[in-house]
Amino acid sequence: MEQPVIYLDNNATTRVAPEVLEAMLPYFCERYGNPSSIHTFGGSVADDIEQARCRVADLLGASFRDRDGIASEIIFTSCGTEGDNAAINAAFNARPGRNKLVTTAVEHPAVLAYAKELERLGREVVLVPVDGRGRLDMDFLKAAVDENTAVVSAMWANNETGTVFPVGEIAKIAHAAGALFHTDAVQAAGKVPVDVEALEIDFLSISGHKLHAPKGVGALYVRRGVRFSRLLFGGHQEKGRRGGTENVTSVIGLGKACEMALASLEKDAARLAELRGRLEEKITSAIPGTHVNGDLENRLPNTSSISFDGIEGESILMMLNMYGICASSGSACTTGSLEPSHVMRAMGIPYTSAHGTVRFSLSCYNTAEEIDKVAEVLPPIIARLRSISPFWEENK
Ligand code: PLP
């Protein structure tokens, strides 16, 4: 009999909710019209896209509707990466004469790799450091943002540690210098309340597959009045802001997922925080030499980054995998050697524990029984790996 999978890798991707799939299905073979068509068969699909757009806007606190009732601050994209790239690109175009991007050392590559490319093209890029708990150095940030800054981009919540940044405060600093503010809310949306209006955010990107919608769809919020320049030239879709026939099925799915996330946000957050607490308590009390990473007072409720001294995260993951347990590590495989991730390095986590970092990320589908199973199998796994590790204290 196949063993059941215990899926604790929800920051990597999530299961499509059955309700989301159900909402999408008619758009494959029955309502497959092109939303740009003149006929009603296609045109009615366009109406459904607008309903999905409103649902996304509702999750983000974007209350503006144009005179046709359209939540025109939302642009559908292909993924979180596209939203991040498009926002930063548009911000530079909206602030001609300014050449600087201020971002953080712990952003996802969707921002950091693009920043590197912009630097190659002659832009100035400043990376704001974090402390050992993953909190931003706000004094550094304040000093870095000036009259040459076009855009400040800071993630709402970190994908590895779950640490939440003070995005409202950062937006204020950006605006005081006349710069625009973008936040990558790919991990935050659907897990913590997001209110673009209260926090005066100019650009915000999300990704469907992190909140129980399919992969390959996302959305970018662009505040009304902020000039947006397109990344994709083509047809007049998305009010001329993104060429390309809409990914209708996935857009419908994203709308449904946002509606569901908004309806259960508080309940899910409380339950996830409880399950996460259960996991951390059981692990840290049973296994010596473990550390929970990130800002423990200000974290996503579903994310737990735990370092196990003296061993490698990848070995832990492989052994967990034998029990059907899916998690991920805080390492990135660079040129064959397993280097701690840029997030762990930016936090200054000591090498011997950064190496043994495992990220558990939960979703509403996880149960207390699953958590208990992980807590049961982990201590012997760690003990076994440490018994053969030259980096574990007692073996040195
Ligand atoms: N930003 C963050 C914080 C992420 O965690 C991810 C995905 O892991 C992305 C951006 C990229 O999203 P996508 O896979 O939809 O391009």
Side-chain angles (χ1 to χ4, degrees), residues 84-377:
D84 288 347
N85 281 225
I88 294 169
N89 172 67
F92 270 115
N93 291 337
R95 290 288 181 273
R98 292 177 176 233
N99 199 41
K100 196 199 279 189
L101 161 67
V102 176
T103 185
T104 85
V106 294
E107 295 296 307
H108 188 273
V111 168
L112 280 182
Y114 188 48
K116 210 165 189 180
E117 174 63 6
L118 290 173
E119 204 168 28
R120 197 184 64 80
L121 296 172
R123 300 289 189 191
E124 186 187 351
V125 175
V126 177
L127 300 184
V128 180
V130 296
D131 69 9
R133 287 257 158 235
R135 293 171 297 208
L136 263 193
D137 184 335
M138 293 300 283
D139 290 333
F140 187 105
L141 184 130
K142 270 184 215 139
V145 179
D146 58 15
E147 69 287 345
N148 190 34
T149 307
V151 53
V152 179
S153 178
M155 66 205 321
W156 195 299
N158 187 268
N159 43 301
E160 288 190 27
T161 64
T163 298
V164 170
F165 283 159
V167 281
E169 209 182 312
I170 303 169
K172 279 202 179 82
I173 295 168
H175 292 155
L180 291 163
F181 177 66
H182 164 251
T183 184
D184 172 339
V186 165
Q187 292 294 345
K191 296 176 190 155
V192 289
V194 167
D195 189 334
V196 285
E197 282 165 14
L199 302 187
E200 296 184 17
I201 283 158
D202 299 310
F203 300 97
L204 176 146
S205 22
I206 67 167
S207 175
H209 72 108
K210 310 291 185 179
L211 69 156
H212 305 290
K215 296 160 188 64
V217 68
L220 175 64
Y221 162 84
V222 183
R223 181 142 70 119
R224 186 166 43 117
V226 171
R227 213 178 89 209
F228 181 76
S229 43
R230 51 165 61 199
L231 207 55
L232 286 190
F233 289 81
H236 53 261
Q237 293 90 351
E238 298 297 287
K239 287 188 180 287
R241 295 173 298 180
R242 182 183 189 273
T245 300
E246 299 85 346
N247 178 358
V248 176
T249 46
S250 296
V251 160
I252 299 294
L254 179 59
K256 182 67 187 171
C258 287
E259 183 190 41
M260 288 173 62
L262 184 60
S264 62
L265 195 73
E266 260 180 60
K267 187 171 60 74
D268 283 351
R271 192 171 156 272
L272 288 172
E274 201 180 307
L275 284 181
R276 194 253 316 261
R278 186 181 181 110
L279 180 71
E280 290 181 347
E281 207 280 316
K282 282 183 182 252
I283 290 176
T284 53
S285 62
I287 309 172
T290 56
H291 319 272
V292 180
N293 300 308
D295 182 355
L296 304 191
E297 271 76 58
N298 241 326
R299 264 190 309 166
L300 293 177
N302 79 316
T303 307
S304 180
S305 165
I306 305 183
S307 293
F308 299 88
D309 290 345
I311 41 180
E312 278 188 352
E314 279 65 25
S315 320
I316 307 171
L317 294 182
M318 278 189 260
M319 294 192 72
L320 285 173
N321 188 47
M322 293 189 329
Y323 292 90
I325 298 167
C326 309
S328 72
S329 79
S331 302
C333 195
T334 12
T335 59
S337 70
L338 292 168
E339 284 296 315
S341 76
H342 69 287
V343 177
M344 292 299 133
R345 277 186 276 131
M347 288 166 66
I349 304 292
Y351 207 70
T352 50
S353 57
H355 255 299
T357 302
V358 175
R359 177 188 71 185
F360 299 99
S361 47
L362 284 55
S363 85
C364 59
Y365 296 111
N366 290 123
T367 63
E369 290 70 39
E370 289 178 325
I371 296 299
D372 291 350
K373 177 75 185 167
V374 176
E376 180 195 315
V377 302

